[in-house]
Amino acid sequence: MRRGIAGLVAVGVVVGGCTAAPVPQETPLGEATLTIVVPEETGPSEVPLRSDGSVDAASPRSRDLLVGPPRPDGSTVAERLPGPTGAASLLGGLLTDDERFGAVRLDGSGTVLLAWHGDPPQEALAAVAEAYPDVLVRVEPLDVLPGELQGLAESLLGDDRWPQVRAVHVRDDLSSIVVQVGVEPNPLTLAARLTAEVGFPVEVEVAASR
C-alpha cells in the first residue's frame, strides 16, 4: 500500500486469532468481502463485512430455513421453505421433542399428514396455519404412543400361539405393524387376531415360497 495517498486509512481486522491484510477505505463500505487465511484449514474462507468494517457472521442454515442473499449492509434475510414442504418441515420441527409425535409426511395432493397420539397439538397447528394458510394439514390419530409401537411389534415374535410369524416391522408412516409369515392359509384372519392382541392395526405379508 502507498502510505502517501491522502484520505486513505489502513484498517486491520483480527478474527479468531487470524489476521487479515489491511485494506484501504475512503468511504463506509456498502458491501465487501474479507478473506481470512486459517492455518488449520485447507484454504481461505470468506465472510461478509458490514458497512462499519466489522465482521457479519451469517446464521447457520437449518432444515426449514433458506438464507437469502446479503443486503447492502451485509445482513441476511431468513425465509422459510415454500409450500407443503415448508409446512411439513415447520410442523415437524415444532413437535420433534414431543413423545406423542409420530411422523409427518406429504400425500400425493400436497396435504401434510401428521401421525399423532392424543389430542391434536393446537398451538403448533395454528403456527403452521398462520405461516402457510394455503396448506392443508390433516391429523392421523395414533392409538398408542409412537415409542411403544416397536415393542408391540416385537411382542408378536416368539409366541407359541403364532409360530408362523418370522419377522415384524412398523411402517414408516406408523399406520400399521407388518408381520411376515411363512405358510398361512388365511392371512386376513391372522391379521385380525394379531390386531386384537396388540390393539393396533396389523398387516400380514406371506413370504413367497422357494
Side-chain angles (χ1 to χ4, degrees), residues 90-182:
L90 173 60
L91 185 59
L94 292 173
L95 301 175
T96 186
D97 294 328
D98 196 308
E99 65 175 0
R100 298 168 295 175
F101 171 60
V104 62
R105 70 187 195 282
L106 299 177
D107 67 5
S109 66
T111 298
V112 177
L113 305 178
L114 170 65
W116 181 263
H117 175 69
D119 295 333
Q122 299 296 344
E123 185 175 345
L125 293 173
V128 173
E130 181 179 0
Y132 299 92
D134 297 329
V135 177
L136 179 64
V137 179
R138 186 170 77 235
V139 178
E140 298 182 327
L142 293 174
D143 294 334
V144 298
L145 286 170
E148 298 176 356
L149 284 178
Q150 187 60 36
L152 288 178
E154 293 175 355
S155 71
L156 300 176
L157 289 171
D159 194 312
D160 294 339
R161 291 175 294 174
W162 20 81
Q164 65 272 51
V165 175
R166 294 181 176 180
V168 297
H169 70 270
V170 179
R171 289 201 181 280
D172 291 340
D173 60 7
L174 308 185
S175 61
S176 63
I177 295 172
V178 179
V179 171
Q180 296 177 342
V181 300

Side-chain angles (χ1 to χ4, degrees), residues 21-87:
V23 296
Q25 66 179 46
E26 293 179 280
T27 59
L29 296 176
E31 183 174 357
T33 298
L34 172 66
T35 300
I36 304 173
V37 179
V38 183
E40 58 269 20
E41 294 181 353
T42 57
S45 60
E46 293 187 348
V47 296
L49 293 180
R50 297 190 181 96
S51 59
D52 61 358
S54 62
V55 176
D56 184 21
S59 299
R61 295 172 184 260
S62 65
R63 290 184 307 169
D64 60 342
L65 292 180
L66 290 177
V67 178
R71 291 175 172 178
D73 63 356
S75 64
T76 57
V77 179
E79 298 178 354
R80 293 197 179 278
L81 295 173
T85 300

